[in-house]
Amino acid sequence: MISVATIFDHAVTLALGILSVSFLVTIYRIVKGPTLPDRILGLDMLVAIAIGFIAVIGIKTGYTLYVDVAIALGLVGFLATVAFARFVLSRGKTEDDILSEAREAASAARRQAKAAAKARSGSAVKGLDPGPVAGKTSGRQDNE
Amino acid sequence: MNELATLISAALLVIGSFFALVASIGLLRLPDVYTRMHAASKAGTMGSCLMLIALAIHATDTGTMSRALAGVVFFLLTAPVSSHLLAKAAYAVGYRLHASAVMDDMEPKDNA
């Protein structure tokens, strides 16, 4: 016959192991997560798992001050998620929007650079204007 | 009586951590942010609440017990609010549903 204390010890160890696995899986989602809301959701889940960890550790050690830590962590996690949601709303564009904007800006800069180079070679053929001025302006447009 | 409380608390610990594991597997496997939210905000909240209830059962003094139950209530109140805010923000900004989604009730109608 197994004693109750042994069962309890095994249950605590099993709970800690399962929580560690789910912690790692959630971290994988945060690292991989294709969009910002995925990562915010992973952070929220991480807070929930940390509260579970705190409860298990509080039971294991009998140190009941950890309950206050769990409540404070829940409050911080809630406020962080709300603030991140406001940030997603105020940023107002998805990762796809940002990527396509960057691509458009890059192609526009390339077109401008090509036009500037053509203008410079044309002026060099005519022999009117020395190169450095045109080179300087095209360099500045590249940075844009 | 004391042994029964210990056994119940051990069972709640294992069940709660199992719920947390299911939530994180859902976070890993589901296709888009809305379905992942469905996994994380329901099963994850359930898991941590069950573990806090296990702490409340295991605690001997009423102070710890009431604080743990207050934590459960607080967590049950805040988790839906935060995930709903996040889902609403993500939808308003324009994160798409996965291609396998069959229904979108918030889609703007043309003939409205």
Side-chain angles (χ1 to χ4, degrees), chain A residues 2 13 28 32 37 43 46 54 65 67 73 76 84 90 93 107-108 116 132 134 136 138 144:
Chain A
I2 315 167
T13 313
Y28 176 75
K32 187 164 171 286
L43 194 73
L46 220 56
I54 288 171
L65 198 63
V67 185
L73 188 64
V76 170
F84 267 124
S90 69
K93 46 191 170 186
S107 69
K136 210 181 280 173
S138 82
E144 282 175 5

Side-chain angles (χ1 to χ4, degrees), chain A residues 80-94:
Chain A
T81 310
V82 170
F84 267 124
R86 295 293 301 180
F87 169 65
V88 167
L89 199 60
S90 69
R91 189 173 67 162
K93 46 191 170 186
T94 63

Side-chain angles (χ1 to χ4, degrees), chain A residues 8 11 18 22 25-26 28-29 37-38 41 45 48 51 55-56 59 64 67-68 71 75 78 85 88 91 93 95, chain B residues 3 6 9-10 13 17 21 23-24 27-28 33 36-37 48 51 55 58 64 67-68 74-75 78 89 93-95:
Chain A
F8 187 72
I18 295 175
S22 50
V25 170
T26 310
Y28 176 75
R29 170 52 66 197
D38 283 312
L41 194 64
M45 185 64 208
I51 288 176
V56 177
I59 288 178
T64 54
V67 185
D68 299 337
I71 293 175
L75 179 62
F78 170 63
V88 167
R91 189 173 67 162
K93 46 191 170 186
E95 274 79 0
Chain B
E3 288 194 344
T6 309
S9 127
L13 272 186
S17 57
L21 181 66
S24 60
L27 212 61
L28 187 70
V33 67
R36 280 175 200 147
M37 205 168 290
S48 48
M51 282 185 270
L55 202 158
H58 189 262
T64 308
R67 269 181 294 166
F74 177 76
F75 210 58
T78 57
V93 165
Y95 288 100

Side-chain angles (χ1 to χ4, degrees), chain B residues 12-85:
Chain B
L12 283 179
L13 272 186
V14 175
I15 295 171
S17 57
F18 182 72
F19 266 100
L21 181 66
V22 168
S24 60
I25 290 174
L27 212 61
L28 187 70
R29 295 280 299 159
L30 289 173
D32 65 356
V33 67
Y34 306 102
T35 47
R36 280 175 200 147
M37 205 168 290
H38 149 83
S41 75
K42 277 185 271 195
T45 310
M46 177 89 178
S48 48
C49 282
L50 279 181
M51 282 185 270
L52 278 177
I53 290 173
L55 202 158
I57 290 176
H58 189 262
T60 48
D61 57 329
T62 48
T64 308
M65 196 182 292
S66 61
R67 269 181 294 166
L69 291 179
V72 170
V73 170
F74 177 76
F75 210 58
L76 279 180
L77 282 179
T78 57
V81 174
S82 63
S83 60
H84 180 253
L85 265 176

